Amino acid sequence: MPRFLHTADWQMGRAFSRFETEDGAALVEARFEAIEKLARLANEHRCDAILVAGDVFDAQTVADRTIRRVFNATRGFTGPWVMLPGNHDAALAESVWTRARRLGAVPDNIHLALEPGTINLEPQGLAILCAPLTQRNTYSDLTATFNSCETPEGLVRIGLAHGSVQGLLPDEIDSTNPILPNRAETARLDYFALGDWHGTKQIDERTWYSGTPEPERFRNNGAGYALIINLSGPGELPAVTPVETARYQWHQWRQTLTVESDLDQLLERLQALPEPSVLDLRLDGSVTLAGEERLINALSVAEARFRSIQCDRSGLQLEPTDDDIAALKADGYVGEVIEHLRTQQQNDDAEAARDALAVLAGLLKERKQEISE
């Protein structure tokens, strides 16, 4: 009974420049660790092969060191790997793949599907019909050749492709590199392994996107998995088991603070997040000076706990209560400045006014503490 692991969209060489240097380096390293984990999973599940449905590399120009590290990371699984070029690493006449071969980096157990055709893994019972991208974008369905492709009797027919299943994915990617929705049926495939959509997604009972094994963007689309496929024989339906591979969880929150309970709920959510989290947080609405202090303290704690937290507070206004103002003991000219800054938050320079108000409140609080001591 053939059993294999389906993965895709590793995007090796991707840079995470929007993050702090330390965090970006950790996110890069997690992608190499994901390959090593795929190898371990294949061994644990006694897989016959690992199929990679495109975009192993994020670009043709990745460093030689990245190429070598990618293939080094596969060493944990000594069975066959089949790697298909996708749109980011298309099989051009001169490509990341030809460079990998010149470097002597490709192990003997890795099959590079650089040309359309079939890779027969007879000892494993697999016939893999490959539709590699030989340019970044194509407007014809490269998997159409699967219909007329003959495979040895007794081997299960596996399609391996990278592209957009037409009519079933979001419109923004439903354009180039098209794939017929019922290709598994027309080509008599026992299983159709797809890449390009970065989340795990079932198209029909024989057709799946595995998604990327390590999330790299803020989309709640089921990223961070690989698929273990069991086939009892030709013509039988596959048994598909998603297995978690992600080290980091990516979250994107957009929250409006209006009343104190909104802040309470936000801080409870922060506390509940696991440590290997990457959080993009954007806040708007308003918060009191006391609430601002609680928020800043919570964000400081979160920065030390999580892999990364980025918080945009440009849309959040400071709305000091009468108790806030009274506690600051700001009278005379300072009191007038505070009222002016509160008003300015309604104008174009709202963010600067809010920050100035926060700084002034902090200075007044520090002075109050010094006097009391």
Side-chain angles (χ1 to χ4, degrees):
M1 178 170 62
R3 178 183 297 130
F4 59 91
L5 185 148
H6 168 200
T7 180
D9 299 292
W10 295 356
Q11 313 293 150
M12 303 306 297
R14 177 182 286 270
F16 295 92
S17 55
R18 64 172 291 185
F19 296 94
E20 297 291 336
T21 301
E22 178 184 352
D23 295 330
L27 295 174
V28 168
E29 197 62 28
R31 308 196 75 74
F32 288 102
E33 293 172 358
I35 302 174
E36 296 171 348
K37 184 168 186 176
L38 292 171
R40 291 196 301 271
L41 286 170
N43 288 322
E44 291 170 9
H45 290 268
R46 298 181 180 179
C47 291
D48 298 301
I50 296 178
L51 309 186
V52 191
D55 282 359
V56 170
F57 298 98
D58 192 54
Q60 303 284 5
T61 55
V62 299
D64 288 354
R65 180 173 184 267
T66 298
I67 294 174
R68 294 184 187 278
R69 288 195 66 193
V70 165
F71 290 108
N72 287 346
T74 68
R75 290 177 176 174
F77 179 71
T78 58
W81 298 66
V82 179
M83 294 186 177
L84 183 88
N87 59 306
H88 282 259
D89 53 9
L92 309 175
E94 176 60 31
S95 70
V96 63
W97 302 105
T98 56
R99 188 150 48 98
R101 281 180 166 169
R102 281 200 304 274
L103 290 171
V106 185
D108 292 339
N109 64 318
I110 293 186
H111 303 262
L112 302 184
L114 305 186
E115 297 178 356
T118 303
I119 295 176
N120 292 323
L121 302 177
E122 296 191 14
Q124 291 76 26
L126 300 171
I128 304 165
L129 288 64
C130 303
L133 287 170
T134 55
Q135 57 190 47
R136 186 175 179 90
N137 296 315
T138 179
Y139 294 89
S140 60
D141 185 350
L142 302 180
T143 68
T145 59
F146 291 177
N147 291 359
S148 57
C149 185
E150 297 298 327
T151 54
E153 187 175 352
L155 301 187
V156 295
R157 289 169 62 90
I158 308 300
L160 188 62
H162 189 90
S164 173
V165 174
Q166 298 298 280
L168 297 179
L169 295 180
D171 291 340
E172 62 267 22
I173 67 168
D174 194 9
S175 53
T176 57
N177 309 324
I179 296 174
L180 190 70
N182 65 337
R183 181 61 67 202
E185 177 184 357
T186 65
R188 311 178 313 283
L189 300 177
D190 296 300
Y191 182 78
F192 196 6
L194 292 175
D196 195 28
W197 180 249
H198 283 210
T200 300
K201 186 176 183 64
Q202 181 179 9
I203 300 302
D204 59 34
E205 58 189 3
R206 297 185 185 275
T207 306
W208 286 72
Y209 285 95
S210 67
T212 180
E214 183 66 31
E216 88 295 358
R217 61 182 70 171
F218 294 105
R219 286 186 181 176
N220 186 20
N221 62 354
Y225 291 85
L227 302 176
I228 304 295
I229 315 301
N230 284 276
L231 282 159
S232 57
E236 301 297 326
L237 288 176
V240 180
T241 304
V243 289
E244 190 169 1
T245 54
R247 177 175 181 182
Y248 295 114
Q249 300 178 14
W250 290 50
H251 305 273
Q252 189 173 58
W253 295 354
R254 302 291 181 259
Q255 186 159 341
T256 299
L257 303 181
T258 304
V259 295
E260 187 175 358
S261 60
D262 293 336
L263 179 59
D264 293 337
Q265 291 174 7
L266 172 63
L267 300 189
E268 288 175 4
R269 290 180 72 192
L270 279 175
Q271 184 64 32
L273 274 182
E275 291 187 6
S277 291
V278 178
L279 176 61
D280 177 56
L281 176 61
R282 181 182 300 169
L283 299 174
D284 58 24
S286 62
V287 66
T288 66
L289 288 179
E292 170 86 351
E293 183 176 2
R294 291 178 61 205
L295 175 61
I296 295 301
N297 288 338
L299 291 175
S300 178
V301 171
E303 286 175 352
R305 282 186 60 223
F306 302 152
R307 176 66 273 166
S308 172
I309 179 170
Q310 297 179 326
C311 182
D312 180 358
R313 297 186 297 123
S314 60
L316 186 64
Q317 292 188 358
L318 276 178
E319 296 287 352
T321 64
D322 292 339
D323 289 340
D324 287 332
I325 300 301
L328 294 175
K329 295 184 178 181
D331 51 15
Y333 175 72
V334 175
E336 293 177 4
V337 170
I338 289 177
E339 287 303 318
H340 176 71
L341 291 174
R342 293 173 72 180
T343 302
Q344 286 298 107
Q345 288 188 104
Q346 309 301 321
N347 300 328
D348 292 339
D349 54 353
E351 186 174 356
R354 187 209 61 188
D355 291 343
L357 182 56
V359 170
L360 179 56
L363 292 172
L364 290 173
K365 186 175 181 180
E366 289 177 5
R367 188 183 70 173
K368 179 182 175 182
Q369 290 175 340
E370 290 172 357
I371 293 174
S372 63
E373 292 174 356

